[in-house]
C-alpha cells in the first residue's frame, strides 16, 4: 500500500474531521498533507478504538474541557523543536536594546511582562529569564517580572515546567556560558532553580485569542512577545487575524519577535518593522485604532545602539583563513552572512567591506544595500546611508508585494515600508 492510499482518506467522515481539527488548532500546515495527517489520526483512532472518522470526531466533540482526546491528538500534530537562544541575533537585540529600553521605560512601575507564545518545552522562555536576570542584576527582587510561556500542547508544558533539557537544546550556548543558565541534571541539563522560579507555563491556544483583552486579562500589557516558529503552521487568514490580536496584547511601543519565515503583510498594519543587526523586530504602531494605554516613549534601535555590549552567550568564531581546496565562484550571500556576523562582533569596517563585496557581486542584493545603509547611518554617514537605502528600494522594483526578499526575513512590501521609514527619518 502506498502512503497516498491511506485507508482513512477514503473514510467519508475524513473531510469533516480534518476541517474541524484545522479550525480548532490553526494547523493549516496539514491542509495539503493528507497522508501525514491520516497517519497521525490513525494512531489516535487505534488508541481510542474508534471505528472511523465520524466516531472519532464525536469523541473529540464530547471533550468539552479539551483535556480528554484533544490533548493526545494535539500531541500527535504539533512539532516542538526549540533550543536556547535560538536566532542569536534576536536575543542580542533583546539584551542590548529592547530590554534596557523597556527597563528604563518601566523604571517607575518596576514591572516587566514578557510572553513566549508557542513556547514548546520552554527553552525560549528560560532564555528570556536568563537575559532578564542579567539585565536587572541586583534590582531583580525589587521588580515584578512576569515571564509567561504558553502552548497548545500540555505535554510540552509539563516538560517545560520540569526544566530538563538535552545537550541538543543547548547547542547555541557556548560551554563557558552554560553555568548561568543550567546545571547538570537528569538526561543532561536542568535549568537553574532561580530561572525556573521566574517562568510560569500555562496552556493556551492562540486560535482562541480574543481580538481585545478583557479587563484583568492574564494575556495583556506585555512589553515583549515572542511568537516564533508557531505561525509557520498557520494559513494567511489565521495570520491576518492573529497579528492585530498580538498587537492588542502589547503595551504601547511593545515589541513582537517572530520567526524568520513569518513576516509579511499581515503585520504591517499594526507593527512597524525595525532593523537590528541581523534581525527584523516588530514594534507596535502608535496609530493602531485600538490604542488602549499610552506609556513611555519608544526609541528607534539606532538611538539606543550606544548601549550595545559584546555578546555574553556566544562568541562569534572568526573562521581561520585557509585556502579553499578548489576555487569556487564567489557567493554574494556568503559575503552578506559574513557581514552579519562581523556586525554582531562589532567589526564595522570588515562588515562594510563584506557588504560592498556582496553588492559588487550582485547589484540587485536588496538586503545587502539595507544592511550597508544601516551600518553607515550608525556611523553618521547620512549621505552614504541615504544612497544605500535608495539603492535597496530600487532593487525591490522587480518584486511583487508578498514576494520574499532573498536572504531576508520579510516580504518585499515589508522591506519597502521599512526603507521608506528609514529614508523619511534621514531626510527629516
Ligand atoms: C516549533 S515550536 C516553536 C517553539 C519556540 N517558539 C521556538 O521558536 O523555539 C512550535 C510550537 O507552537 C505550538 N503551537 C502550535 N499551534 C499552536 C496554537 N494554535 N496555539 C498555541 N501554540 C501552538 C506547538 O505546540 C509547538 O510547541
Amino acid at each position: 500500500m502506498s502512503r497516498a492510499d491511506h485507508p482513512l482518506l477514503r473514510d467519508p467522515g475524513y473531510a469533516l474531521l480534518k476541517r474541524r481539527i484545522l479550525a480548532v488548532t490553526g494547523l493549516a500546515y496539514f491542509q495539503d498533507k493528507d497522508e501525514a495527517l491520516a497517519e497521525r489520526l490513525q494512531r489516535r483512532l487505534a488508541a481510542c478504538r474508534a471505528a472511523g472518522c465520524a466516531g472519532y470526531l464525536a469523541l473529540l466533540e464530547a471533550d468539552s474541557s479539551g483535556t480528554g482526546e484533544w490533548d493526545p491528538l494535539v500531541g500527535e500534530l504539533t512539532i516542538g523543536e526549540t533550543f536556547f537562544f535560538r536566532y542569536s541575533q534576536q536575543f542580542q537585540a533583546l539584551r542590548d536594546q529592547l530590554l534596557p529600553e523597556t527597563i528604563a521605560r518601566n523604571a517607575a512601575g518596576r514591572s516587566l511582562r514578557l510572553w513566549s507564545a508557542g513556547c514548546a518545552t520552554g527553552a525560549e522562555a528560560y532564555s528570556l529569564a536568563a537575559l532578564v536576570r542579567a539585565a536587572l542584576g541586583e534590582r531583580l527582587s525589587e521588580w515584578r517580572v512576569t515571564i509567561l510561556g504558553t502552548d497548545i500542547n500540555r505535554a510540552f508544558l509539563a516538560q517545560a515546567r520540569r526544566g530538563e533539557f538535552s545537550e541538543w537544546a543547548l547547542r547555541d550556548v557556548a560551554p563557558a556560558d552554560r553555568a548561568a543558565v543550567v546545571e547538570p541534571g537528569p538526561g543532561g541539563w536542568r535549568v537553574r532553580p532561580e530561572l525556573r522560579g521566574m517562568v510560569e507555563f500555562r496552556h493556551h491556544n492562540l486560535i482562541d485569542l480574543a481580538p481585545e483583552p478583557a479587563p484583568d486579562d492574564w494575556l495583556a500589557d506585555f512589553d515583549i512577545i515572542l511568537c516564533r516558529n508557531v505561525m509557520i503552521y498557520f494559513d494567511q487568514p489565521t495570520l491576518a487575524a492573529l497579528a492585530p490580536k498580538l498587537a492588542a496584547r502589547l503595551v504601547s511601543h511593545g515589541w513582537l519577535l517572530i520567526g524568520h519565515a513569518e513576516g509579511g503583510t499581515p503585520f504591517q498594519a499594526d507593527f512597524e518593522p525595525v532593523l537590528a543587526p541581523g534581525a527584523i523586530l516588530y514594534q507596535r504602531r502608535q496609530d493602531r485604532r485600538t490604542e488602549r494605554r499610552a506609556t513611555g516613549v519608544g526609541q528607534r534601535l539606532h538611538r539606543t545602539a550606544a548601549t550595545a555590549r559584546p555578546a555574553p552567550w556566544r562568541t562569534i568564531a572568526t573562521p581561520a583563513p585557509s585556502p579553499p581546496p578548489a576555487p569556487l565562484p564567489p557567493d554574494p550571500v556568503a559575503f552578506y552572512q559574513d557581514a552579519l556576523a562581523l556586525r554582531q562582533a562589532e567589526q564595522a569596517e570588515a562588515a562594510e567591506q563584506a557588504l560592498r563585496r556582496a553588492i559588487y557581486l550582485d547589484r540587485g542584493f536588496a538586503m545587502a544595500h539595507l544592511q550597508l545603509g544601516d551600518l553607515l547611518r550608525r556611523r553618521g554617514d547620512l549621505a552614504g546611508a541615504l544612497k544605500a537605502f535608495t539603492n535597496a528600494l530600487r532593487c525591490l522594483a522587480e518584486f511583487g508585494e508578498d514576494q520574499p526578499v532573498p536572504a531576508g526575513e520579510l516580504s518585499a512590501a515589508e522591506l519597502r515600508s521599512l526603507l521608506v521609514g528609514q529614508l523619511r527619518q534621514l531626510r527629516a
Side-chain angles (χ1 to χ4, degrees):
M1 183 183 71
S2 85
R3 285 163 61 90
D5 288 326
H6 200 293
L8 220 53
L9 301 181
R10 295 193 294 275
D11 183 316
Y14 173 78
L16 185 59
L17 175 61
K18 172 181 169 181
R19 214 163 37 245
R20 180 80 180 122
I21 292 170
L22 268 50
V24 169
T25 62
L27 297 171
Y29 165 79
F30 286 106
Q31 187 60 49
D32 58 357
K33 296 185 179 57
D34 282 311
E35 287 76 21
L37 179 61
E39 246 176 60
R40 288 164 172 76
L41 277 174
Q42 185 62 62
R43 286 199 282 271
R44 290 314 311 156
L45 261 72
C48 299
R49 297 170 194 273
C53 290
Y56 185 68
L57 180 58
L59 260 179
L60 288 175
E61 300 293 19
D63 172 21
S64 55
S65 70
T67 55
E69 180 48 28
W70 275 109
D71 260 1
L73 175 62
V74 162
E76 284 285 355
L77 301 179
T78 47
I79 296 159
E81 164 65 5
T82 187
F83 51 94
F84 283 80
F85 299 100
R86 184 176 198 175
Y87 303 151
S88 59
Q89 292 101 331
Q90 288 190 352
F91 275 97
Q92 200 159 359
L94 275 164
R95 192 200 58 225
D96 295 340
Q97 287 142 354
L98 305 196
L99 280 177
E101 175 193 305
T102 307
I103 289 169
R105 198 168 57 231
N106 295 1
R110 284 183 291 189
S111 144
L112 198 56
R113 286 178 59 76
L114 313 182
W115 178 18
S116 163
C119 63
T121 50
E124 186 175 87
Y126 287 128
S127 302
L128 286 174
L131 286 195
V132 169
R133 193 175 155 76
L136 284 173
E138 290 182 351
R139 292 172 292 167
L140 182 63
S141 60
E142 297 156 16
W143 279 63
R144 264 179 304 118
V145 175
T146 303
I147 301 174
L148 184 65
T150 63
D151 203 280
I152 194 176
N153 183 323
R154 280 180 228 268
F156 288 162
L157 292 168
Q159 209 178 321
R161 287 184 196 107
R162 285 197 294 279
E164 290 164 7
F165 292 91
S166 68
E167 183 71 27
W168 184 235
L170 286 145
R171 59 187 177 273
D172 249 21
V173 186
D177 298 324
R178 289 184 182 180
V181 186
V182 287
E183 53 193 21
W189 300 96
R190 182 153 210 213
V191 175
R192 296 186 69 85
E194 58 271 29
L195 297 184
R196 285 210 307 277
M198 290 172 70
V199 183
E200 186 192 354
F201 291 101
R202 287 177 72 169
H203 180 263
H204 179 257
N205 180 352
L206 282 164
I207 300 304
D208 295 340
L209 200 60
E212 291 292 324
D216 296 327
D217 202 312
W218 59 290
L219 292 174
D221 294 331
F222 288 102
D223 297 295
I224 300 170
I225 299 176
L226 273 67
C227 188
R228 311 184 313 160
N229 309 301
V230 182
M231 297 179 286
I232 32 169
Y233 302 108
F234 299 165
D235 59 13
Q236 281 298 311
T238 308
L239 268 186
L242 190 54
K245 292 178 186 175
L246 290 174
R249 309 290 158 153
L250 281 167
V251 297
S252 178
H253 299 279
W255 293 92
L256 172 69
L257 273 61
I258 62 181
H260 289 328
E262 294 170 316
T265 37
F267 289 89
Q268 287 193 26
D270 297 283
F271 295 93
E272 183 180 354
V274 175
L275 178 70
I280 308 290
L281 316 169
Y282 289 82
Q283 186 165 35
R284 201 188 109 156
R285 285 192 193 281
Q286 304 317 302
D287 53 2
R288 287 189 75 243
R289 262 184 298 158
T290 48
E291 184 75 72
R292 277 162 28 92
R293 80 178 217 209
T295 54
V297 179
Q299 290 184 310
R300 299 262 57 81
L301 283 180
H302 65 271
R303 293 202 199 125
T304 57
T307 61
R309 290 174 279 120
W313 305 113
R314 191 175 169 211
T315 44
I316 295 155
T318 318
S322 58
L328 290 169
D331 176 6
V333 175
F335 280 107
Y336 174 74
Q337 280 163 350
D338 278 356
L340 295 187
L342 288 162
R343 289 200 73 188
Q344 270 192 55
E346 299 188 8
Q347 296 180 31
E349 275 184 29
E352 181 184 345
Q353 270 181 23
L355 286 170
R356 290 196 186 282
R357 201 65 209 277
I359 292 167
Y360 173 77
L361 292 167
D362 177 1
R363 299 219 165 266
F365 197 160
M367 288 304 291
H369 286 291
L370 172 76
Q371 286 286 342
L372 180 63
D374 188 57
L375 187 151
L376 296 175
R377 188 196 51 193
R378 281 167 200 254
R379 184 191 288 159
D381 178 357
L382 301 188
L386 198 74
K387 190 170 160 205
F389 287 141
T390 309
N391 283 336
L393 209 51
R394 182 183 43 77
C395 298
L396 294 178
E398 314 272 297
F399 286 78
E401 288 285 287
D402 285 335
Q403 209 174 332
V405 180
E409 301 164 20
L410 63 184
S411 68
E414 236 179 345
L415 181 52
R416 213 170 273 132
S417 127
L418 180 88
L419 285 163
V420 168
Q422 302 284 333
L423 286 167
R424 200 180 301 126
Q425 276 181 27
L426 280 174
R427 287 179 182 133

